Amino acid sequence: MNVLVVEDERNLADAIVRIVSDGGDTADAVYDGRAGLRAACSGRYDAVVLDVMLPGLDGREVVHEMRRQGVATPVLMLTARTTTADKVDGLDAGADDYMTKPFEADELLARLRALTRRKGDVMLDDVTFADVTLDLATHDLSRGERTVHLSGKEFEVMRILMGSSPRVVSKQDLLARVWGDVDASENSVEAYVSFLRKKLAHIGSSVQITTLRMLGYRLEVLEE
Ligand code: CA
């Protein structure tokens, strides 16, 4: 995996880069929030280690803006603070996990591996479910020779549904991970799911997005 480290304490940032490199992976460090956001949205990283207290944009603003732009890269937030309110703030903003400083190198690596496993699709060229394939580079959804292009948010929703199957994905989870805002309207999610259903039908796929009342969505294969 390729890890982005956003931390203004240079000694710590460089130490994290070394920890990741020693674990056999690669990492780059940047030292302020704006550079962090640019790098995080570059598509070059499989995970981001993000400090909360940063010059420029703070860590919560960085992850919030990443999610708003449809960047679903997993984020592990770091903070020296330990209150539950800080943790909830970070997770609400769209972070996937949280660690308080100081931490052990082994724990950092274990958490990064868990995050990139959970989102293992980011490390592949494409994702397949039943008869459909989603190309992570071009955002094309294909069944056999039939292909349709997905818009940014359609792509993120489809990728999460495919990566989560057979688990149910809640509307709140999609709002947090794709829109970066759990207060955005659930109508947005419903609209994008509706677009995706039309596109799945357009390419003649047997895959359908099933609505489970009060729970969310799940990909299923329509029996002939
Ligand atoms: Ca800091």
Side-chain angles (χ1 to χ4, degrees), residues 114-136:
L115 282 179
T116 52
R117 249 200 316 279
R118 196 186 306 164
K119 290 259 316 149
D121 52 8
V122 298
M123 306 176 76
L124 303 173
D125 292 326
D126 49 36
V127 183
T128 298
F129 178 85
D131 61 5
V132 293
T133 298
L134 181 61
D135 188 314
L136 297 183

Side-chain angles (χ1 to χ4, degrees), residues 143-216:
R143 176 190 155 271
E145 296 298 300
R146 304 183 73 168
T147 290
V148 65
H149 184 72
L150 302 188
S151 71
K153 284 193 168 52
E154 289 171 350
F155 168 76
E156 293 296 341
V157 170
M158 193 65 194
R159 181 161 79 159
I160 290 168
L161 289 173
M162 291 175 84
S164 303
S165 175
R167 283 183 292 115
V168 176
V169 181
S170 72
K171 286 180 189 173
Q172 289 75 16
D173 193 16
L174 288 170
L175 282 172
R177 292 170 66 182
V178 178
W179 279 260
D181 180 3
V182 288
D183 296 323
S185 169
E186 292 190 354
N187 292 339
S188 308
V189 179
E190 289 161 13
Y192 278 88
V193 166
S194 162
F195 298 152
L196 283 171
R197 283 178 173 144
K198 291 194 178 100
K199 291 191 171 180
L200 283 165
H202 177 72
I203 58 174
S205 173
S206 63
V207 173
Q208 61 178 4
I209 304 172
T210 304
T211 305
L212 293 103
R213 254 174 70 79
M214 312 301 285
L215 292 175

Side-chain angles (χ1 to χ4, degrees), residues 79-111:
T79 184
R81 300 180 298 179
T82 56
T83 69
T84 305
D86 287 338
K87 174 172 174 169
V88 168
D89 276 357
L91 295 177
D92 274 355
D96 300 87
D97 198 2
Y98 206 87
M99 260 180 97
T100 48
K101 296 187 271 190
F103 50 83
E104 298 291 326
D106 288 348
E107 190 184 359
L108 176 76
L109 286 178
R111 295 224 192 174

